[in-house]
C-alpha cells in the first residue's frame, strides 16, 4: 500500500473527487515541496501539526521550538493565501494526540482521505513512522523523494558504493561539476583550484566592525508562539528572548541578501576565528533557513557565486561558503543515510564519561567553554569552529560518551536535525564512527584555541603552562587522549609527528601530563538527568 515513486496518485474513475491528505512537516516549509506539486488545491488538504513528541523527543532549546512553530504557522497562512485548504493542529488543540502518526490517522478519518501524499522525513525515526501510515490509516500512502537536496540519496549511494574512503573533498568536486558552480567553461574550477581553505584561517585584528545578522521584530503570530513556548517549555534549555530569527521566506531572503552584502566578503578569511562578545562574526547563520525549507541550497549558492562574478566577494570566501552547502551539507546527509541506524550507536573509541554539567550551565573556569556555552544558551547558535574545536574537542579528549554529546548538540542549536547533527558529532567531532567521515580525530591542545581566538588571554588557566592546576586543561587532556588511543592512531600518517613527540618525552614528563589530566577529569561534575532526554543523564 505504500509507494515510493514520485508520480501522480492513481485516481478512481467517476466524478467524485479524491481527498488527498498532504502532511507537511516542520522542516518542509517550501512552496516547491514535491508533495505540493501537481496537485489541485481544491482536491487536497494540507495537514500541519505541532506535536509534543517532536518538541520533546529531546528537550530542544526554547528558541528552536519557537522558530519552528512560528515558521510553521506563517507557512500555513502563506498556503491559505495561495488557495490551499490547511488543517493546522496547534500544540494545545483539543484532541491533539501529540504525535505525527496519531494526527495523520485522525486527519485521514476527519477528511475522509482516500490517499496520503508526503515527502520523506529527513530523519530516520520520522521516515520509519511514515512507513507505518498506510497500515495505520488503511489508505494509500505515497512517500516522495525530498528533491530540495541537490544530490539524491540514490546518487550518493552510487558514489559511495565500493569506495574504501568516503572523503568529502572528492564528493564536493563531483558536486561542483554537477551544479556548474564556480566552474569554468573548460571544466576547470574557478580560480585554478578546488579548495581555498588555506586562505581561510586568518585571525581578525582588533577593532573590526563585525556585521550583525538581520533580525526581525516578532509579529502577532510569533508573539503568540513565544507565549506558548514560555508557558509549555519553561524547563527547557536556553533563552527564549530576545527573538528575532527569520520565520518566513520573505525574511529568509532578506537575511540572505544582508549576508551577501555585508559579511560574505570577509567570511572566508575569518571563518575559523572566535572572538568573545561577537557571536556571529562574518557567519551567515542561514543554516536555520535551509534546514526548515525557507531557503533552498542552490539559490543560496547562486547568490554567493553572483557576488563573486560582480567582484563583490573574493574567491576564497565564496568557494568556502559554497563548499559548506553543496559539499559538506549534502555529504553529511548522504553519510547519515548510508549508515543509519548503526550510526546512532557508534562508539569506536569506547568513550563512556558522562557529559559534564557545565555544558548546560556554562559554569566553568575554561573561558573558551564558558563563552561558547553562554552564547549557545543565548542564541541557540555557535559557529562551526566553536562547535568542533572547543565544545566537541573537549568532549573528545575527555572521553565523553558520544551519544550524550550528540544529544546535547541536537538540543541546543536552532539548525540541528539528526540527519545533519549526528554524523557531524558522532563522526566528525567525536571520531566515534572509527574514521568513516574524518581521516583523523579533531583533537587539539590549548594552542589551537589560543591561535584562533581571544579567549585565552582572560582565562583563569594559562595556555602556556603545560601541566599542573593552573595549566590549560586542554594541554594535558590532549596527550592523555593520544596516550590512551596510541594503539589505534600511532600508525595514522596524519598523527605520526605527534606520536613521535610523545615518545621523545621522558617517562617523568609523560607521567606528569597523564597525572595532570586525571586530576582535572576528577573535578568534572556529571550532568543531571533530564536535561537532554527525560530520565537520561546528559
Amino acid at each position: 500500500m505504500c509507494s515510493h515513486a514520485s508520480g501522480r496518485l492513481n485516481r478512481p474513475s467517476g466524478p467524485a473527487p479524491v481527498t488527498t491528505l498532504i502532511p507537511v512537516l516542520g522542516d518542509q516549509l517550501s512552496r516547491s515541496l514535491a508533495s505540493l506539486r501537481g496537485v489541485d488545491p481544491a482536491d487536497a488538504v494540507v495537514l500541519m501539526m505541532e506535536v509534543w513528541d517532536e518538541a520533546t523527543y529531546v528537550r530542544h532549546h526554547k528558541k528552536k521550538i519557537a522558530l519552528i512553530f512560528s515558521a510553521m504557522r506563517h507557512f500555513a497562512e502563506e498556503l491559505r493565501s495561495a488557495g490551499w485548504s490547511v488543517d493546522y493542529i496547534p500544540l494545545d488543540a483539543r484532541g491533539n494526540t501529540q504525535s505525527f502518526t496519531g494526527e495523520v490517522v485522525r486527519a485521514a478519518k476527519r477528511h475522509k482521505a482516500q490517499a496520503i501524499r508526503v515527502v520523506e522525513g529527513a530523519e530516520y525515526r520520522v521516515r520509519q513512522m511514515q512507513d507505518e501510515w498506510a497500515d495505520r490509516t488503511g489508505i494509500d500512502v505515497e512517500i516522495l523523494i525530498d528533491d530540495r537536496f541537490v544530490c539524491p540519496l540514490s546518487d550518493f549511494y552510487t558514489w559511495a558504493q565500493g569506495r574504501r574512503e568516503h572523503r568529502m573533498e572528492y564528493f564536493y568536486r563531483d558536486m561542483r561539476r554537477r551544479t556548474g558552480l564556480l566552474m569554468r567553461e573548460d571544466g576547470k574550477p574557478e580560480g585554478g583550484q578546488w579548495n581555498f581553505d588555506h586562505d581561510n584561517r586568518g585571525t581578525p585584528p582588533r577593532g573590526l566592525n563585525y556585521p550583525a545578522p538581520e533580525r526581525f521584530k516578532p509579529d502577532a503570530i510569533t508573539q503568540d508562539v513565544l507565549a506558548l513556548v514560555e508557558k509549555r517549555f519553561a524547563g527547557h534549555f536556553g533563552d527564549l528572548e530576545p527573538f528575532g530569527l527569520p520565520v518566513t521566506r520573505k525574511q529568509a531572503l532578506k537575511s540572505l541578501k544582508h549576508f551577501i552584502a555585508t559579511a560574505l566578503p570577509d567570511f572566508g578569511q575569518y571563518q575559523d576565528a572566535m572572538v568573545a562578545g561577537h557571536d556571529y562574526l562574518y557567519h551567515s547563520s542561514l543554516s536555520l533557513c535551509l534546514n526548515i525549507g525557507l531557503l533552498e541550497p542552490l539559490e543560496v549558492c547562486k547568490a554567493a557565486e553572483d557576488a563573486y562574478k560582480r567582484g563583490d566577494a573574493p574567491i576564497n570566501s565564496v568557494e568556502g561558503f559554497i563548499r559548506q552547502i553543496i559539499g559538506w551539507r549534502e555529504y553529511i546527509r548522504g553519510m547519515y543515510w548510508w549508515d543509519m541506524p548503526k550510526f546512532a550507536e557508534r562508539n569506536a573509541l569506547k568513550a563512556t564519561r558522562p557529559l559534564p554539567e557545565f555544558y548546560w550551565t556554562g559554569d566553568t573556569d575554561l573561558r573558551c567553554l564558558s563563552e561558547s556555552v553562554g552564547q549557545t544558551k543565548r542564541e541557540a547558535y555557535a559557529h562551526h569552529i566553536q562547535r568542533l574545536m572547543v565544545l566537541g574537542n573537549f568532549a573528545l579528549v575527555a572521553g565523553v560518551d558520544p551519544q550524550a554529546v550528540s544529544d546535547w548538540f541536537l538540543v541546543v542549536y536552532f539548525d540541528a536535525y539528526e540527519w545533519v547533527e549526528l554524523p557531524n558529532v558522532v563522526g566528525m567531532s567525536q571520531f566515534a564512527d572509527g574514521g568513516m567521515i574524518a581521516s583523523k580525530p579533531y583533537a587539539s591542545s590549548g594552542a589551537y584555541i589560543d591561535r584562533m581566538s581571544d579567549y585565552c588571554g582572560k582565562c583563569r588557566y594559562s595556555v602556556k603552562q603545560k601541566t599542573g592546576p593552573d595549566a590549560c586543561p586542554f594541554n594535558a587532556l590532549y596527550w592523555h587522549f593520544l596516550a590512551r588511543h596510541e594503539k589505534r592512531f600511532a600508525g595514522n600518517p596524519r598523527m605520526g609527528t605527534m606520536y613521535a613527540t610523545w615518545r621523545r618525552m621522558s617517562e617523568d614528563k609523560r607521567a606528569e601530563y597523564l597525572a595532570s589530566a586525571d586530576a582535572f577529569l576528577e573535578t568534572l561534575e556529571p550532568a543531571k538527568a533530564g536535561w537532554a532526554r527525560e530520565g537520561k543523564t546528559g
Side-chain angles (χ1 to χ4, degrees), residues 80-97:
R80 289 186 181 113
S81 296
W84 290 90
S85 175
V86 180
D87 185 359
Y88 195 97
I89 313 300
L91 185 74
D92 288 339
R94 185 176 180 180
N96 188 338
T97 62

Side-chain angles (χ1 to χ4, degrees), residues 106-119:
R106 282 208 314 148
K109 292 178 180 177
R110 185 164 58 248
H111 297 289
K112 298 180 174 57
Q114 297 183 38
I116 296 173
R117 178 181 171 93
V118 66
V119 169

Side-chain angles (χ1 to χ4, degrees), residues 29-61:
L29 310 183
S30 308
R31 290 290 297 277
S32 64
L33 196 67
S35 57
L36 299 175
R37 298 198 303 262
V39 176
D40 183 350
D43 190 23
V45 174
V46 173
L47 173 67
M48 298 185 70
M49 309 157 277
E50 297 172 2
V51 295
W52 187 261
D53 282 1
E54 294 304 305
T56 60
Y57 75 93
V58 294
R59 293 164 57 85
H60 298 287
H61 195 297

Side-chain angles (χ1 to χ4, degrees), residues 422-473:
L422 188 143
N424 263 305
V425 174
V426 170
M428 180 75 166
S429 172
Q430 301 304 295
F431 206 81
D433 65 350
M436 288 193 300
I437 287 177
S439 58
K440 75 173 188 67
Y442 278 82
S444 82
S445 68
Y448 176 87
I449 297 169
D450 188 34
R451 184 166 67 253
M452 298 310 303
S453 78
D454 66 352
Y455 294 151
C456 300
K458 294 182 180 179
C459 185
R460 176 267 203 241
Y461 296 104
S462 170
V463 72
K464 304 299 183 186
Q465 194 169 325
K466 304 303 182 185
T467 59
D470 295 324
C472 172

Side-chain angles (χ1 to χ4, degrees), residues 159-232:
W159 174 85
Q161 189 70 45
R163 287 178 180 262
R164 187 173 63 87
E165 294 184 331
H166 302 102
R167 296 291 173 250
M168 189 279 290
E169 181 64 26
Y170 304 114
F171 171 78
Y172 167 57
R173 294 179 186 186
D174 286 349
M175 292 297 289
R176 288 272 295 277
R177 296 185 187 101
R178 174 194 288 259
T179 62
L181 288 163
L182 294 180
M183 296 296 293
R184 302 189 318 215
E185 290 185 2
D186 62 2
K188 302 293 185 182
E190 190 69 39
Q193 60 194 61
W194 293 101
N195 187 314
F196 289 82
D197 213 27
H198 66 274
D199 296 327
N200 293 344
R201 296 166 186 160
T203 302
R206 293 180 181 275
L208 279 186
N209 185 23
Y210 303 107
E214 192 80 11
R215 287 294 177 255
F216 305 92
K217 183 179 179 181
D219 63 7
I221 291 175
T222 300
Q223 288 173 1
D224 285 346
V225 168
L226 293 175
L228 171 71
V229 173
E230 187 59 54
K231 176 183 177 182
R232 298 297 306 275

Side-chain angles (χ1 to χ4, degrees), residues 227-488:
L228 171 71
V229 173
E230 187 59 54
K231 176 183 177 182
R232 298 297 306 275
F233 303 97
H236 282 222
F237 174 80
D239 297 343
L240 179 59
E241 298 192 65
F243 185 94
L245 300 176
V247 294
T248 66
R249 175 158 171 79
K250 182 177 179 181
Q251 291 176 348
L253 289 169
K254 190 173 181 181
S255 295
L256 172 60
K257 183 177 180 180
H258 178 79
F259 166 71
I260 296 294
T262 66
L264 179 61
D266 289 309
F267 165 76
Q269 184 177 4
Y270 301 127
Q271 68 172 285
D272 287 1
M274 298 172 282
V275 180
H278 295 281
D279 295 341
Y280 291 89
L281 301 178
Y282 295 101
H283 291 266
S284 73
S285 70
L286 293 172
S287 53
L288 76 88
C289 299
L290 285 164
N291 291 356
I292 62 176
L294 298 181
L295 293 175
E296 298 198 7
L298 286 181
E299 71 177 334
V300 173
C301 292
K302 188 66 167 59
E305 183 186 45
D306 288 346
Y308 169 71
K309 290 179 177 179
R310 293 192 304 267
D312 292 341
I315 185 67
N316 65 304
S317 288
V318 174
E319 185 279 317
F321 182 68
I322 287 175
R323 178 163 22 100
Q324 292 295 320
I325 298 173
I326 65 165
W328 193 251
R329 183 175 185 266
E330 297 281 333
Y331 165 80
I332 281 292
R333 182 212 182 207
M335 290 301 293
Y336 171 80
W337 284 102
W338 177 255
D339 194 50
M340 283 299 284
K342 295 177 182 177
F343 218 136
E345 302 300 325
R346 292 204 180 274
N347 189 356
L349 302 185
K350 295 180 171 56
T352 57
R353 185 177 301 279
L355 189 76
E357 175 72 1
F358 65 69
Y359 273 78
W360 299 110
T361 65
D363 186 13
T364 172
D365 288 336
L366 276 155
R367 187 168 181 240
C368 58
L369 285 159
S370 66
E371 288 282 345
S372 297
V373 173
Q375 172 182 327
T376 297
K377 181 176 180 291
R378 291 192 308 275
E379 298 290 323
Y381 171 81
H383 73 66
H384 67 286
I385 295 299
Q386 292 168 305
R387 299 189 200 193
L388 178 65
M389 297 308 300
V390 176
L391 297 158
N393 181 18
F394 183 87
L396 174 66
V397 296
V400 178
D401 177 355
Q403 274 70 53
V405 182
S406 180
D407 276 356
W408 184 82
F409 274 85
L410 186 57
V411 165
V412 302
Y413 292 120
F414 56 38
D415 55 2
Y417 295 83
E418 190 184 69
W419 66 267
V420 65
E421 172 275 325
L422 188 143
N424 263 305
V425 174
V426 170
M428 180 75 166
S429 172
Q430 301 304 295
F431 206 81
D433 65 350
M436 288 193 300
I437 287 177
S439 58
K440 75 173 188 67
Y442 278 82
S444 82
S445 68
Y448 176 87
I449 297 169
D450 188 34
R451 184 166 67 253
M452 298 310 303
S453 78
D454 66 352
Y455 294 151
C456 300
K458 294 182 180 179
C459 185
R460 176 267 203 241
Y461 296 104
S462 170
V463 72
K464 304 299 183 186
Q465 194 169 325
K466 304 303 182 185
T467 59
D470 295 324
C472 172
F474 275 97
N475 294 335
L477 288 172
Y478 173 71
W479 292 112
H480 194 278
F481 172 81
L482 291 183
R484 68 180 184 265
H485 296 297
E486 185 170 5
K487 184 176 181 180
R488 173 182 286 271

